[in-house]
Amino acid sequence: MMHIHFSAYALTLFFSLISTHAVMAGSPPPNDGAQIILRDKEQDTCTLDVPAAGSGLTYRYELMVPGTKCRSFLTRSIEFIQLPSALRIFMSDDGWCSENTTELDQRFWIKLKTTKKATTVGINEITYLLTYKPNTIIGPGLMMEDSYEKVGGEVRDNLSCIKLVASRAFDTPWPPAATDRDRSWSPFASEDLHAFSCPTDTIMTGRQHNRDESGNTRYECATAVQSGASVAVQDKVWAAPLTESDGIYFVCPNNRIMTGRGHYKDENGNTRYECATASHAGRNLTVTPHEWGGSMSESNSEFHCPADQFLIGRRHTGDENGYTRYRCATLQ
């Protein structure tokens, strides 16, 4: 049986006790000293973690998303320290790391690749990196693969997304994608005072809501299965509250999936999301995000991730007549 109700007192406490520090776990610590340091025009810094060599992991830093390291940091220059070999680095002003310049009003994107172990390249402005031609060396071990810059586009201080893709060790086979099993709905609860967490070792795959904040909400959860065995769901952590009506895109941190959601009061009240790590045979699964789904009216909505995908993100803007979008991902 899924449980969704907390007492009114407990829920009020749940949404009012807001920590002043980050409560959502992100990527693991830097590997072997590898890190990427962002600098703004005042030379203040923010540091990004890097996936380990041979791990095959992808780290995405969507810098407008709550919970993301270096959120809203106005990057002017960048420094690379002890990066692993065959690491691909994609940087763009598009918040979702797209390179589809035909459909987006995109200012720039840059594709870099490391060609040796422990690649260290000093501070360079993003605008300076764009002066390098494809397949040229920027510094020892760092190659410009390709780039795009819109004529008349403003590059400086507009970096919005960084994607880091580590190579996979040749002797390590890529595991199959997880499938979903036994999707089931929770009981309905009042939208304006509830907190829900999927049952043990299950992951959120859908949500349904009717009417306004006094209407009903319920959630769909499922078991993930990889190589015939159920995936474990661990390290559940609630993110800091955000205002529901602000249109904020929330996405779970790198390689974490959504397991819970709570909401308090009307559209101007607080929403919190719970994210967790999925693991199988002692290995944390890789989460590969898909594109955001289309908008739907919140007041009479029902959403399910496609088969064998799991929820990692949600966005809502306005009141119950506003629109909601969801984002799903593959586990591997």
Side-chain angles (χ1 to χ4, degrees), residues 50 71 124 179 234 248 323:
V50 177
R71 184 192 178 204
N124 285 284
T179 58
Q234 303 165 320
I248 296 172
Y323 290 96

Side-chain angles (χ1 to χ4, degrees), residues 11-12 15 189-195 209 212-217 261-267 269-270:
L11 278 163
T12 302
F15 285 104
S190 180
E191 169 68 10
D192 61 359
L193 191 63
H194 81 276
H209 175 69
D212 61 9
E213 66 273 3
S214 63
N216 289 323
T217 296
R261 176 183 174 268
H263 182 71
Y264 181 55
K265 293 190 174 180
D266 63 9
E267 66 273 4
N270 287 325

Side-chain angles (χ1 to χ4, degrees), residues 179-259:
T179 58
D180 68 74
R181 186 178 66 193
D182 301 330
R183 292 193 181 197
S184 60
W185 286 102
S186 71
F188 279 109
S190 180
E191 169 68 10
D192 61 359
L193 191 63
H194 81 276
F196 170 79
S197 181
C198 286
T200 302
D201 291 333
T202 63
I203 304 166
M204 197 174 287
T205 54
R207 175 177 174 266
Q208 183 182 13
H209 175 69
N210 299 316
R211 299 187 292 112
D212 61 9
E213 66 273 3
S214 63
N216 289 323
T217 296
R218 65 175 181 169
Y219 300 91
E220 183 185 68
C221 301
T223 301
V225 177
Q226 187 181 61
S227 301
S230 296
V231 169
V233 178
Q234 303 165 320
D235 303 324
K236 292 184 175 184
V237 180
W238 286 97
L242 55 86
T243 301
E244 174 83 356
S245 59
D246 283 351
I248 296 172
Y249 285 90
F250 176 86
V251 181
C252 288
N254 283 324
N255 296 307
R256 294 174 70 86
I257 37 78
M258 189 175 292
T259 54

Side-chain angles (χ1 to χ4, degrees), residues 35 38 46 78 95 139 186 195 200 203 257 290:
Q35 54 187 327
L38 310 181
C46 190
I78 191 165
S186 71
T200 302
I203 304 166
I257 37 78
H290 295 276

Side-chain angles (χ1 to χ4, degrees), residues 88-150:
R88 281 189 156 84
I89 303 164
F90 182 84
M91 300 185 291
S92 173
D93 72 301
D94 174 67
W96 313 121
C97 278
S98 172
E99 57 183 283
N100 189 352
T101 56
T102 60
E103 295 182 7
L104 299 170
D105 186 21
Q106 196 164 6
R107 298 179 181 93
F108 74 94
W109 51 256
I110 296 171
K111 294 180 182 179
L112 307 175
K113 180 182 178 181
T114 60
T115 59
K116 71 178 185 69
K117 294 180 180 179
T119 294
T120 296
V121 175
I123 303 169
N124 285 284
E125 281 206 18
I126 303 297
T127 53
Y128 180 67
L129 293 178
L130 283 163
T131 65
Y132 284 88
K133 302 297 183 184
N135 300 314
T136 58
I137 299 299
I138 295 172
L142 185 65
M143 183 177 72
M144 169 66 77
E145 287 197 300
D146 203 359
S147 66
Y148 163 80
E149 182 178 5
K150 181 180 180 179

Side-chain angles (χ1 to χ4, degrees), residues 58 60 174 255 286-290 309 312 328-332:
T58 296
R60 296 171 67 101
W174 190 251
N255 296 307
T286 299
V287 178
T288 303
H290 295 276
Q309 294 182 28
I312 60 165
C328 302
T330 302
L331 296 178
Q332 198 164 19

